[in-house]
Amino acid sequence: MYRYNAFDEDFVRERVAQFRDQVGRRLSGALTEEEFKPLRLMNGVYLQLHAYMLRVAIPYGTLSSRQMRALADIAVRWDRGYGHFTTRQNIQFNWPLLVDTPDILAALATADMHAIQTSGNTIRNVTTDHFAGAALDEVTDPRPYAEWIRQWSTDHPEFQFLPRKFKIAISAGSVDRAVIKAHDIGLRLVQSGEDIAFDIYVGGGLGRTPVVGKRLFQGVATEALLPHLEAILSVYNLAGRRDNKYKARIKILLQAMGEEAFKASVESVLPEVSAACSSAELTQLQNIMDHFTVPAFPERDIEPYLEQIDTAPAFRDWVERNVNPHKQECYASVTVSLKAHGQTPGDASAEQMRCLADIAEQYGFSELRVSHEQNIVLPHIAQADLPDVYQRLCSAQLATANIGLVSDLIACPGMDYCALATARSIPIAQRLSLRYQARERTLGPMKIKISGCINACGHHHIGDIGILGLDKAGVENYQLTLGGRGGLAAKLGDKMGPGFSEDDLVLALDRMLDTFLALRLSPSETFAASVERLGTEPFRAALYEVSRDAA
C-alpha cells in the first residue's frame, strides 16, 4: 500500500496547523459559524443534529494495522469508543468536540491519514473494489490508479470549488464491486492488447435524481486518463449549475447538454489539457505502483483447514458465507461482517478495531480494507490460518456469517445523527435484521439498502429492496423500491407506491417475502432473479394486500 513521503507528511502537518488556527479563531468568536463552515468542511468536520462529526479519509478503502489501531485510539480518547464505517469506504466519528478536532487530525497525521476533501464541493475519496489485488477476475490491481487519481485531485487548484461534490470509483474485475455506474465518474480497467485501458462512465449518481452513468469514452490509454478526467471536470466546472444545488451535479449537466454535445465539449478542451501534461505523471504512476507490490505468499499446509471444514459446521458456514477465493492458490479473502444481528450497520468498537488490526498483522500482511457495503475485508489470509482467524473473530463478536443475506444490509446514519435526514434508518435496519434472522438463509441472497432522506447515502435505489425514509406531515413514512442493482448491468429500482409507517412496513415486507418464497422456482432462485423473471407486480400486490382488502 502507499506510504507517505516527506512531501506528504509536510503537506498534512501544514493543513493541521492551519486548521488549528481556524478552530481557535472560531472558539474565540473571531470567526462566525457562517465564516467557519467552509473551512471546517474542507477538513472533514460536519455539524450534525447533536454534535460535530469528523469524517476521516481512507483512500480506496485500504488500511494498515497501524492505521486501524490509530483509529481505535481516536475512538477511545476523543469519541465514545467506536467508529462508523461508511459507503464511501471512510470512517466517521460522531461525537468529537470541536476543540479536540485539531488534535485528532494531528494524531491521524502521525499514521499517514487525514480528513482532507471528505466534504465540500470537491473531488471526494476515490473508491474501488474491496478485493482489489486479490480478486480472481481483475485485469490488474486498480489501487495504484486510484492513488494516482487521489494525488492528482488533492488540493487541485481548479477543482476545490466545483458546482457540487464529485465522486469517482474505479473497478478492474469482470464483476463490478465498486458500483462505478452510480458515480459522477466511473472507471473500468480493461485489457487492450498487452496494455491496460479505461472505459469512462459519466453522470451516474443517486440522490433525488437517480441516474445510471453512461459510457462516454472507451479504451482510453493510461497516459490519456488524467487528461480525460481533467477535461471532463473542466467542462463541468464551467458549465455546471451553481444557482440550484439540487441541479448542480454533473448528471444534470449531462442530461441538459445531451451525451454527444457534452462529449464534444470535453474533446474540444482535451488537446490543450493533454499538452499541459508531461511524462512526469506517468513516472509518478510508476513510483506509486512500486508501493503496491504483491506480498510473498508462502506455501502452507491446508489439511488442518480441510479437517475443520469437515468437522466444524459453524466454521464451515462462516467460510461459505464470508470467505472469497483468492488469486493465489491456498489463500482467501475474508469479509468481516459489521452487521451482527440487531447492531448498527457499519459500527465497530475500538476493541473490535484493535482485534482486526492484530489479526491482519499476524495473519494478513497487516492489510485491511473497508468495503462500500460497510464491512471490513482481510484480503490476504492463508486458508491454513482461517480456523484461527475465525476463533479470534468469534471472541470479538465479529464472526457473524451473514454476508449477502438480509441482515448484511446498508443503512445511512439517518435521523439518529444526520441533520439532513427526514426519518430514522438505523432502527429500521436493526429491526429487520432481528426479524428475519431465523429466516435469512431460507430467503437467500438479498440486498436491502436503507436511506433516511432523498440524498440516498444508503444507496436504496440500487437495492433488491430499497427503503427510503421520508417525513409525511411530521410522521416517518417509508417508501419501497424493488429490482434495483449495482454492477455493470446497474438498474434503478421501481417505486412501489405509497409509503408505510414503521410497523406497517415490516408487515408489508412479511407479506412480500412470503409471496417470494411461494413464487420462486426453487430454493436456489434469489429474490433478485424472481423479480427479474416475474416483474414487480406480484410483489407490489403483496405489499398492498391489506390496503386493497380494506378498500
Side-chain angles (χ1 to χ4, degrees), residues 63-80:
L63 281 169
S64 68
S65 293
R66 178 174 72 102
Q67 289 172 326
M68 183 66 94
R69 289 192 188 100
L71 296 175
D73 292 344
I74 288 168
V76 170
R77 183 173 179 185
W78 289 295
D79 207 88
R80 295 189 177 179

Side-chain angles (χ1 to χ4, degrees), residues 148 151 223 226 276-288:
W148 194 35
Q151 294 191 18
E223 61 269 21
L226 292 188
C277 292
S278 69
S279 61
E281 280 83 3
L282 288 176
T283 301
Q284 180 63 10
L285 175 59
Q286 186 55 59
N287 292 337
I288 290 168

Side-chain angles (χ1 to χ4, degrees), residues 161-194:
F161 298 97
L162 294 168
R164 200 74 174 91
K165 58 188 175 182
F166 203 92
K167 299 177 180 179
I168 300 175
I170 181 169
S171 181
S174 58
V175 175
D176 169 29
R177 288 174 290 269
V179 204
I180 59 173
K181 290 188 175 183
H183 286 74
D184 297 288
I185 290 180
L187 301 173
R188 186 183 180 213
L189 280 77
V190 295
Q191 199 73 45
S192 179
E194 296 183 356

Side-chain angles (χ1 to χ4, degrees), residues 198-499:
F198 297 83
D199 289 348
I200 302 178
Y201 295 82
V202 181
L206 303 178
R208 70 172 58 224
T209 310
V211 178
V212 174
K214 307 295 192 299
R215 187 173 65 182
L216 295 191
F217 301 94
Q218 190 170 355
V220 174
T222 299
E223 61 269 21
L225 176 61
L226 292 188
H228 273 77
L229 298 183
E230 184 116 11
I232 291 167
L233 275 146
S234 294
V235 170
Y236 168 56
N237 199 24
L238 289 173
R241 291 184 61 172
R242 296 176 185 270
D243 62 321
N244 185 339
K245 71 177 182 178
Y246 302 120
K247 298 182 181 297
R249 299 293 290 267
I250 194 172
K251 60 189 175 184
I252 304 299
L253 177 64
L254 184 61
Q255 289 177 336
M257 293 180 65
E259 292 178 35
E260 292 305 316
F262 182 89
K263 186 176 179 180
S265 295
V266 171
E267 290 173 337
S268 71
V269 301
L270 195 54
E272 181 180 354
V273 171
S274 298
C277 292
S278 69
S279 61
E281 280 83 3
L282 288 176
T283 301
Q284 180 63 10
L285 175 59
Q286 186 55 59
N287 292 337
I288 290 168
M289 286 183 169
D290 292 342
H291 289 263
F292 291 88
T293 55
V294 178
F297 295 111
E299 292 187 16
R300 302 287 301 280
D301 179 12
I302 65 169
E303 284 304 316
Y305 160 73
L306 296 176
E307 181 180 345
Q308 286 291 300
I309 288 289
D310 289 338
T311 60
F315 172 70
R316 181 172 61 249
D317 182 47
W318 174 77
V319 170
E320 289 174 354
R321 290 250 56 93
N322 292 42
V323 177
N324 280 70
H326 195 285
K327 64 172 60 176
Q328 178 66 36
E329 189 177 2
C330 298
Y331 280 76
S333 296
V334 174
T335 300
V336 180
S337 173
L338 298 184
K339 319 282 181 57
H341 295 99
Q343 300 303 305
T344 301
D347 276 11
S349 70
E351 292 78 10
Q352 290 174 324
M353 286 188 256
R354 287 173 179 145
C355 174
L356 290 167
D358 292 345
I359 292 172
E361 187 171 73
Q362 183 172 353
Y363 301 105
F365 304 92
S366 290
E367 190 170 329
L368 308 101
R369 310 282 176 77
V370 182
S371 80
H372 80 271
E373 295 186 322
Q374 297 178 288
N375 293 312
I376 301 295
V377 172
L378 301 164
H380 310 301
I381 303 294
Q383 287 178 318
D385 291 326
L386 286 174
D388 288 345
V389 169
Y390 174 68
Q391 291 301 325
R392 296 277 293 274
L393 292 173
C394 283
S395 68
Q397 291 77 53
L398 287 170
T400 306
N402 65 342
I403 298 303
L405 299 179
V406 169
S407 58
D408 183 27
L409 42 69
I410 288 176
C412 73
M415 213 157 61
D416 285 279
Y417 297 101
C418 182
L420 301 177
T422 49
R424 297 166 303 144
S425 53
I426 291 173
I428 302 299
Q430 293 169 320
R431 186 169 178 180
L432 296 182
S433 174
L434 291 171
R435 189 175 188 86
Y436 298 114
Q437 180 176 356
R439 300 178 67 195
E440 62 182 356
R441 276 167 175 71
T442 300
L443 291 167
M446 188 178 300
K447 292 186 179 293
I448 298 180
K449 303 178 188 289
I450 308 172
S451 299
C453 77
I454 57 174
N455 289 313
C457 294
H459 298 178
H460 66 276
H461 296 293
I462 54 172
D464 295 331
I465 300 172
I467 301 174
L468 169 62
L470 297 171
D471 178 290
K472 187 174 182 180
V475 178
E476 290 169 308
N477 182 267
Y478 294 92
Q479 293 182 351
L480 285 169
T481 55
L482 297 183
R485 60 175 177 259
L488 295 174
K491 176 182 177 295
L492 302 174
D494 297 328
K495 183 180 174 183
M496 290 297 95

Side-chain angles (χ1 to χ4, degrees), residues 42 146 192 281 366 503 530 537 546:
M42 291 174 69
S192 179
E281 280 83 3
S366 290
D503 289 339
S530 291
E537 192 51 42
V546 173

Side-chain angles (χ1 to χ4, degrees), residues 478-541:
Y478 294 92
Q479 293 182 351
L480 285 169
T481 55
L482 297 183
R485 60 175 177 259
L488 295 174
K491 176 182 177 295
L492 302 174
D494 297 328
K495 183 180 174 183
M496 290 297 95
F500 300 90
S501 68
E502 178 182 342
D503 289 339
D504 287 343
L505 170 68
V506 294
L507 295 175
L509 289 174
D510 285 347
R511 294 191 298 273
M512 185 184 72
L513 294 177
D514 287 343
T515 298
F516 157 60
L517 293 178
L519 293 177
R520 68 181 180 181
L521 293 176
S522 71
S524 64
E525 184 174 55
T526 65
F527 179 78
S530 291
V531 173
E532 183 74 13
R533 177 174 60 86
L534 298 168
T536 59
E537 192 51 42
F539 306 102
R540 185 200 311 266

